Amino acid sequence: MTPPTLEQEDVEMLVPHQELAASDADAAQAQPMEVVAQTEVASTAESQPAEDPQTSRFTWTIENFTRFNGKKQYSEVFVVGGYKWRVLIFPKGNNVDHFSMYLDVADSANLPYGWSRYAQFSLAVVNQIQLKYTIHKDTQHQFNARESDWGFTSFMPLSDLYDPSKGFLVNDTVIVEAEVAVRKMVDYWAYDSKKETGYVGLKNQGATCYMNSLLQTLYHIPYFRKAVYHMPTTENDMPSGSIPLALQSLFYKLQYSDSSVATKELTKSFGWDTYDSFMQHDVQELNRVLCEKLEDKMKGTVVEGTIEQLFEGHHINYIECINVDYKSSRKESFYDLQLDVKGCRDVYSSFDKYVEVERLEGDNKYHAENHGLQDAKKGVLFLDFPPVLQLQLKRFEYDYMRDTMVKINDRYEFPLQLDLDRDDGKYLAPDADRSTRNLYTLHSVLVHSGGVHGGHYYAFIRPTLSEQWYKFDDERVTKEDPKRALEEQYGGEEELPQINPGFNNTPFKFTKYSNAYMLVYIRESDKEKIMCTVDEKDIAEHLRIRLKKEQEEKEHKKKEKAEAHLYTIIKVARDEDLKVQIGKDIYFDLVDHEKVCSFRIQKQLPFSSFKEEVAKEYGIPVQFQRFWLWAKRQNHTYRPNRPLAPHEETQSVGQLREVSNKAHNAELKLFLEVELGLDMRPLPREKSKEDILLFFKLYNPDKEELCFVGRLFVKALGKPSEILAKLNEMAGFSPNEEIELYEEIKFEPNVMCEIIDKKLTFRSSQLEDGDIVCFQKSPRADYDTQVRYPDVPSFLEYVHNRQVVHFRSLEKPKDDDFSLELSKLHTYDDVVERVARQLGLDDPTKIRLTSHNCYSQQPKPQPIKYRGVEHLLDMLIHYNQTSDILYYEVLDIALPELQFLKTLKVAFHHATKDEVVIHSIRLPKNSTISDVINDLKTKVELSSPTAELRLLEVFYHKIYKIFPLHEKIENINDQYWTLRAEEIPEEEKNIGPNDRLVHVYHFMKDPNQNQQIQNFGDPFLLVIHEGETLTEVKKRIQSKLQVPDEEFSKWKFAFISMNRPDYLQDSDVVPACFQRRDVYGAWEQYLGLEHTDTAPKRAYTVNQNRHTYEKPVRIYN
């Protein structure tokens, strides 16, 4: 059966994935109504010059925030720069445990093809208690059809957002602000970096701009480049396996190439996989790791010690007693210096802070050998500075209050010339070498643009230390004026005028999202040595030869590409290709054209010239060659369609291509038919209209093998019964062997393979040129029990649906545990049964599976429910991608049973012992807190048989709730909150009418965060009796916590309301403090115990996402 052949124009047309389109439509319906009139004003924005941005602030007050049940929510539309924008939020996080927020182009679906717009913007969640703690994040983006929204997946921890005491969620309302400045961008499509600047850029592999900026900086230190060139490598080394050779190759290309250079060989030499290249790492860490690696590789070579000579300086750490004659010091080396940005106005004030003397006195006295505790001064002074001084600016730091990294965007100045001998050498130690003048000139400024969770890196460099600066931004290099490289990278705020009269007209200050984070200075006295000449004689001959050969190959490919329109690639398939491929590489159709011999032929040459090339290649005389054109059929199969007519063979190759391929593809696919005589010599042959060319595959059910056995011409009015003896001969069977014939019709989306009636004519069976007949011995009666796939259709069905799945334990999601060959049509039960059998498990229902997220390369957050999908294929599909990975867990009870149960992790705090034990409580979902407590009583050790338990909700060291016994457990969330069980103290059972039950929390003040209160340790409840003073309360607290007198005497006590402490005196009546106004929750007023946190930090956090982790920078080779 031969379906019609497709016209080539139809073949090439791509159709959108309908399921995706449908899901987008659903998403669109879920968006709130747009309230801004749909007017097209893009032309207004286009007329705006780049330096005159249009700006606006938009405020979105989101009421009933916690009641929103959807995954994402859009704001109403607002207009900036003539463009329509809206804010997109994910209130529960975009598959992370952080609040996610983005700026979105509101009308992206209706914009013309190729649209783009550029904006720098700030997103904020307002702190409604203290405005100064509002969280702002800034970035910039070129918006386009593929990236129509941009922002922060990890904007702020959900734990902070949903904690009412933190001030972001007040009266169930969250306030979000967006400040947007729209700028017109210059089109750089036709820009040639080499031509304009003499330098070339580096290609970005995904998220490697941080590496590119560092590599350009190192490359433009000529002494460093020369040392890299002189590292010994051999012609047998491969760049992907040798860091020295990969770096030599990269530097050579940067020096001599005319276009941007790829870094893949270098990252491969680091041992990085593609995933590493898509992880944005810390530049400072990469710099250190790379330099350490090079230093190690240089050992024992002519360039040993280069890294130390260039970058190594020394300082001395000292402690000097004030009242006795005792001094301790330690010399240390450094390759870079980390300078504080916060609280410092410029580099000099950072150095002042670096060498600042710290007084060790009071509780912090120094224990001097043979002198006991002494008042002392502690500090750092420099012994010598290196020729190349690398200053890492501490733009990123950890915020303990928010439990997250933050970026410091404060203004921070750095000079073009840096004098480290200033003020009579105040940075130098008394015994420092002062013969060298420590005057430095700025060589490069590495810039980070964006926020803490991502952004873009680039570098401003003076390659020759002249007045001219250059910006190296991945592939693009541009000339820049000094102001752009210096003042504009100081950071701080920029005041942007308010243009849009629809918003308040006061100018607002926009935090500069881009600022310097690393500076490289070169010492004036070493300038000539470091800025030396590097030319071809510094490059090893084998490296020059290799790289020139690479360059020639590249030029050859470039030339081929440029001349591609003059040539046709002819791909020739032969019987030999079918024999090699069928049953190994392919099972359906006849050949993979990517694996056959190809000829590059000029279009104007006659086809006969091509035939002569074939005669040379295969030794087949021109007169015995017959070529068939292939055709793609409507059922997506690809078969030989018809032989070339004599008049076609007289045409040029170019004309012939157009006959077969109207889509102007540069390839021509042909099948070479050669008929062999008895002596195996080729024979000439004519084909009549009655001749049909059929291809034959043989199936062996016992071995489950399919192979190509040949092709035959048959007569249209002939019958299959007439060729059975010939087929048996081709298969090596006896002449009278009973065989069955099947036609392979199609295989996408489903296999279609039908039995051929041997008594009907070939024409009646609708067999035509290029059709495939599969045959086998007639199935025996015992085949159904003896073999898995007794006939051709069942075997082809198996091949089409078979899928090797790699199973990983959910506890080790990076490591393959075992692989199974399954069928995509296997049911849920089939899959878990095979997994259970592999694991030696009797009960398959105890297996729980989790699908793979193809984008994050991690398990999906939610496991597959029991019989929640029909087939294996449903488990493997993630949006429009198919994975071959599944994760498994072995449960202690059957999954169907578990799904009707709720599992809670409860931390039981023993009444008398200092221990906490985590218990998993598993109960039916309709159970109550009372059932949890009764179950817990059977598992824990109580102080007495009559002891009563209660369950508390603890979050960030505060008690938020005491669960009532009748509350249902189904909606309790223990992912972010800790559930704590404890015995109810006797004093609480006998509480008097005027007694109060108050919350007691541990706290300390964070010196780095404006003395903000930071809670820690285990909170508890305490009965305060009427008229009780602090002295009396302290005694009971000390007794309860078993704190030694010496330590307890240092503790301070405060009444804390809304995070503001009111310190108490021993004589104060404690209950009186708690008579004040109503509050949102009991945790907002508490008795605070101020002391240092001496407990060891836990190696885990309760609210960690199931599968999140961060990779450190590693160079593996």
Side-chain angles (χ1 to χ4, degrees), residues 1049-1073:
S1049 65
K1050 298 175 186 175
W1051 288 24
K1052 295 178 186 175
F1053 295 78
F1055 166 73
I1056 298 182
S1057 176
M1058 302 297 283
N1059 261 8
R1060 285 186 285 272
D1062 186 358
Y1063 286 94
L1064 301 175
Q1065 304 301 316
D1066 285 353
S1067 58
D1068 287 344
V1069 177
V1070 178
C1073 304

Side-chain angles (χ1 to χ4, degrees), residues 426-472:
K426 64 178 178 179
Y427 305 132
L428 296 171
D431 52 346
D433 176 12
R434 295 177 185 242
S435 61
T436 303
R437 178 80 173 94
N438 291 305
L439 181 65
Y440 287 85
T441 189
L442 185 61
H443 172 265
S444 43
V445 180
L446 279 73
V447 175
H448 176 265
S449 172
V452 70
H453 295 292
H456 185 54
Y457 292 89
Y458 46 89
F460 292 95
I461 302 174
R462 288 196 295 166
T464 61
L465 296 182
S466 68
E467 293 295 307
Q468 183 62 61
W469 285 88
Y470 296 88
K471 180 182 177 185
F472 291 82

Side-chain angles (χ1 to χ4, degrees), residues 670-945:
L670 298 174
F671 175 70
L672 172 58
E673 175 214 338
V674 180
E675 287 303 314
L676 299 175
L678 292 175
D679 57 358
M680 299 305 288
R681 289 180 176 277
L683 294 174
R685 181 185 172 89
E686 292 298 319
K687 178 186 181 298
S688 71
K689 286 186 179 179
E690 291 301 306
D691 289 331
I692 299 172
L693 178 62
L694 297 180
F695 293 83
F696 292 89
K697 298 178 184 178
L698 172 66
Y699 174 54
N700 182 333
D702 295 311
K703 293 184 178 178
E704 293 180 10
E705 287 178 352
L706 188 73
C707 63
F708 175 71
V709 289
R711 53 182 169 73
L712 291 174
F713 280 99
V714 298
K715 296 294 182 186
L717 297 177
K719 296 177 182 178
S721 54
E722 297 165 8
I723 62 165
L724 295 181
K726 180 65 178 169
L727 293 181
N728 278 331
E729 182 190 331
M730 289 162 68
F733 298 158
S734 61
N736 301 319
E737 182 71 53
E738 285 287 321
I739 54 175
E740 297 294 336
L741 277 58
Y742 302 86
E743 185 194 357
E744 179 194 313
I745 299 168
K746 64 168 190 161
F747 55 94
E748 289 294 351
N750 303 310
V751 172
M752 194 170 175
C753 182
E754 294 179 352
I755 197 158
I756 295 171
D757 189 334
K758 291 178 270 194
K759 294 172 187 159
L760 292 177
T761 64
F762 290 107
R763 181 171 288 166
S764 301
S765 295
Q766 297 184 320
L767 287 164
E768 294 184 8
D769 282 325
D771 281 348
I772 299 170
V773 175
C774 301
F775 68 98
Q776 66 175 94
K777 289 182 181 179
S778 296
R780 303 190 305 265
D782 65 346
Y783 258 20
D784 286 344
T785 56
Q786 295 296 315
V787 296
R788 292 197 303 170
Y789 309 107
D791 55 28
V792 171
S794 63
F795 176 72
L796 291 180
E797 192 72 46
Y798 151 70
V799 169
H800 183 64
N801 291 303
R802 70 179 168 186
Q803 173 73 55
V804 174
V805 180
H806 303 281
F807 286 89
R808 300 174 177 180
S809 166
L810 195 62
E811 292 175 357
K812 294 181 179 176
K814 286 284 169 191
D815 304 326
D816 283 359
D817 202 349
F818 57 87
S819 299
L820 294 176
E821 187 186 275
L822 304 170
S823 167
K824 292 173 190 168
L825 301 181
H826 272 161
T827 63
Y828 173 90
D829 287 354
D830 293 332
V831 176
V832 292
E833 205 173 286
R834 286 290 306 277
V835 174
R837 199 187 315 157
Q838 173 72 25
L839 297 171
L841 198 67
D842 295 333
D843 186 357
T845 62
K846 288 186 178 178
I847 297 292
R848 180 162 66 179
L849 300 173
T850 300
S851 294
H852 180 68
N853 182 323
C854 299
Y855 300 104
S856 69
Q857 294 296 310
Q858 293 179 9
K860 289 187 182 179
Q862 297 301 323
I864 297 166
K865 290 184 176 176
Y866 177 70
R867 292 180 178 166
V869 295
E870 280 193 51
H871 298 108
L872 172 65
L873 187 59
D874 304 317
M875 299 180 190
L876 300 177
I877 285 181
H878 179 68
Y879 296 112
N880 59 338
Q881 291 195 31
T882 303
S883 159
D884 61 354
I885 296 169
L886 284 175
Y887 304 88
Y888 72 89
E889 299 165 88
V890 178
L891 307 171
D892 56 346
I893 63 169
L895 183 56
E897 190 184 335
L898 180 67
Q899 286 181 183
F900 291 104
L901 300 176
K902 173 84 174 178
T903 302
L904 295 175
K905 279 192 169 58
V906 179
F908 177 68
H909 289 237
H910 199 279
T912 55
K913 297 178 185 174
D914 185 19
E915 67 176 29
V916 177
V917 182
I918 308 290
H919 292 275
S920 278
I921 307 295
R922 197 182 273 157
L923 293 169
K925 288 181 178 175
N926 60 358
S927 302
T928 62
I929 295 295
S930 179
D931 298 321
V932 173
I933 287 172
N934 289 334
D935 187 77
L936 197 57
K937 280 181 178 177
T938 65
K939 298 178 176 178
V940 302
E941 182 187 341
L942 300 174
S943 61
S944 78

Side-chain angles (χ1 to χ4, degrees), residues 68-133:
F68 178 72
N69 292 321
K71 187 176 181 187
K72 60 183 177 180
Q73 191 174 357
Y74 289 93
S75 73
E76 60 188 33
V77 172
F78 58 97
V79 176
V80 186
Y83 294 140
K84 295 169 188 170
W85 307 91
R86 59 186 173 180
V87 177
L88 164 63
I89 63 166
F90 288 74
K92 300 288 191 305
N94 188 4
N95 295 321
V96 292
D97 56 359
H98 281 62
F99 178 62
S100 306
M101 180 157 56
Y102 310 87
L103 182 65
D104 177 64
V105 175
D107 54 349
S108 61
N110 306 321
L111 293 173
Y113 177 78
W115 68 270
S116 72
R117 61 183 65 165
Y118 173 78
Q120 62 185 68
F121 60 93
S122 162
L123 298 174
V125 175
V126 176
N127 191 303
Q128 299 167 58
I129 295 175
Q130 289 182 294
L131 266 179
K132 67 178 180 178
Y133 295 134

Side-chain angles (χ1 to χ4, degrees), residues 531-548:
M531 307 306 288
C532 58
T533 304
V534 184
D535 51 33
E536 281 220 345
K537 68 176 182 291
D538 291 302
I539 302 163
E541 188 183 1
H542 76 84
L543 185 66
R544 287 205 304 271
I545 292 167
R546 179 201 290 262
L547 294 173
K548 277 181 179 170

